[in-house]
Amino acid sequence: MANPSVALLMPNLNALNQAKRRAFLLEIDKVMPTGTIVLLDGKSIPQIEAIVNLRLILFSHGNEVGDTLRRGLAAAMELGADKMVTFEDYSESNANWFIPYLDIGNVIESKKRGFAEMVVTEITNVLSFCNAYNGFSMNRIFTREAAAVIKETKLKGKAFFVESNGALNAKGIKTVEVIKKERKQNKEKVGVKDAVASITKSFNRSSFLFSLFNSIAYLANISVVYASLSLGWFYPLALVIGGEVNTLSNFIMNEKINFKNKGFLSSVYRLGKFNVLTLIPIAFDIVFIGYLSRYTNLIGKSLFTDISMVSIMTVSLVSFFIVTKIMWVKENHVRVQV
């Protein structure tokens, strides 16, 4: 194990009874080098005579999770820590979770997701172009670079860590997320307020421009399809042309204006990949409408037209999620299963 200057953030540790608090700290004391900083919030430092390696320090805590952790990160940086560790819980089994990862940079160790965690994390991923598996995990290691970003934010609530993923991602700071298959699902429920806060706060400048450019491309797509059909063009041809207009306008605006990706050849390669991804749902739609057209007389032309337009909108929505998750997700957040 490397020996960086490590600070262990333990807000609310003093809420545990004396026996559990002692057992947790002694478990860490066995493996950490002398002088390891432990930051506690509270009114007094627990007196545990058997501790020899840990240096217990109090820091002022805030009224909610985000504020407390920001203060803890700031205090750790002032004390010279290179890495700061937080904990999912203060059980003995979780005391040494961070030991295998101290040689890595920013780390998240994730438990199995609950349904609510999955929904919130995936929506947040789309809006912030992240790639997190479980943004709610509190088993984390922050580098000084990451801590400097987090302590300047105004993130708060139980969803603090979901929001912090987006803040680090926006700065291009890499995080490794270790997904432990054998870890049991986190039983703590995600509240509606925290879920909504996480989703809304993950919406940033790139998200705004992405939505704007997608809306423009979508309107161009619909306009071309309508115009083509009004001229009596073959439906699949109209759909493909509209899709290509959507693809080209969407890609160019996001590639060069929003994400500012450089390089002609790399952009050509990405455009080809982008085109394939957007054509997959279009091809499905053509097959679906072709099959449905056999029954036009049975369902009526008006209903057939309505179904066709709903199908086009569905294709656009599916394309949006496919493209967002595959094309524009940044490579800052790496997921590893062990």
Side-chain angles (χ1 to χ4, degrees), residues 63-83:
N63 295 323
E64 45 78 36
V65 176
D67 189 35
T68 296
L69 289 171
R70 277 195 302 276
R71 293 187 186 192
L73 292 173
M77 292 179 69
E78 289 177 5
L79 291 167
D82 295 322
K83 293 190 176 181

Side-chain angles (χ1 to χ4, degrees), residues 102-222:
L102 282 177
D103 290 335
I104 309 176
N106 299 292
V107 177
I108 304 173
E109 186 184 75
S110 285
K111 293 183 177 182
K112 183 179 178 182
R113 296 183 296 185
F115 178 75
E117 289 176 340
M118 181 271 292
V119 171
V120 175
T121 302
E122 291 301 331
I123 294 176
T124 304
N125 284 343
V126 170
L127 293 176
S128 62
F129 308 100
C130 197
N131 188 35
Y133 171 79
N134 181 5
F136 288 93
S137 175
M138 291 182 70
N139 273 353
R140 299 206 176 192
I141 300 175
F142 293 94
T143 60
R144 286 185 69 88
E145 180 188 31
V149 172
I150 298 302
K151 76 182 186 67
E152 296 300 326
T153 66
K154 296 181 180 180
L155 310 177
K156 60 182 181 179
K158 293 181 179 178
F160 170 81
F161 285 118
V162 175
E163 300 162 22
S164 70
N165 280 350
L168 297 179
N169 196 52
K171 295 291 185 180
I173 297 176
K174 184 177 179 180
T175 303
V176 176
E177 183 172 12
V178 181
I179 303 169
K180 305 283 284 187
K181 293 181 180 179
E182 74 275 11
R183 290 182 72 89
K184 295 181 180 179
Q185 180 176 316
N186 188 1
K187 295 181 179 180
E188 186 174 349
K189 301 298 181 182
V190 180
V192 174
K193 182 180 179 180
D194 291 319
V196 172
S198 296
I199 292 170
T200 55
K201 290 178 182 178
S202 63
F203 199 82
N204 51 36
R205 176 184 178 277
S206 292
S207 306
F208 172 77
L209 289 177
F210 188 78
S211 300
L212 176 63
F213 294 156
N214 270 276
S215 298
I216 293 172
Y218 175 74
L219 291 174
N221 178 18
I222 294 296

Side-chain angles (χ1 to χ4, degrees), residues 7 41 107 151 196 238-240 253-254 259 273 291 295 302:
D41 66 338
V107 177
K151 76 182 186 67
V196 172
L239 200 61
V240 170
M253 288 187 291
N254 279 300
F259 299 107
K273 180 181 177 181
Y291 176 79
Y295 305 97
S302 177

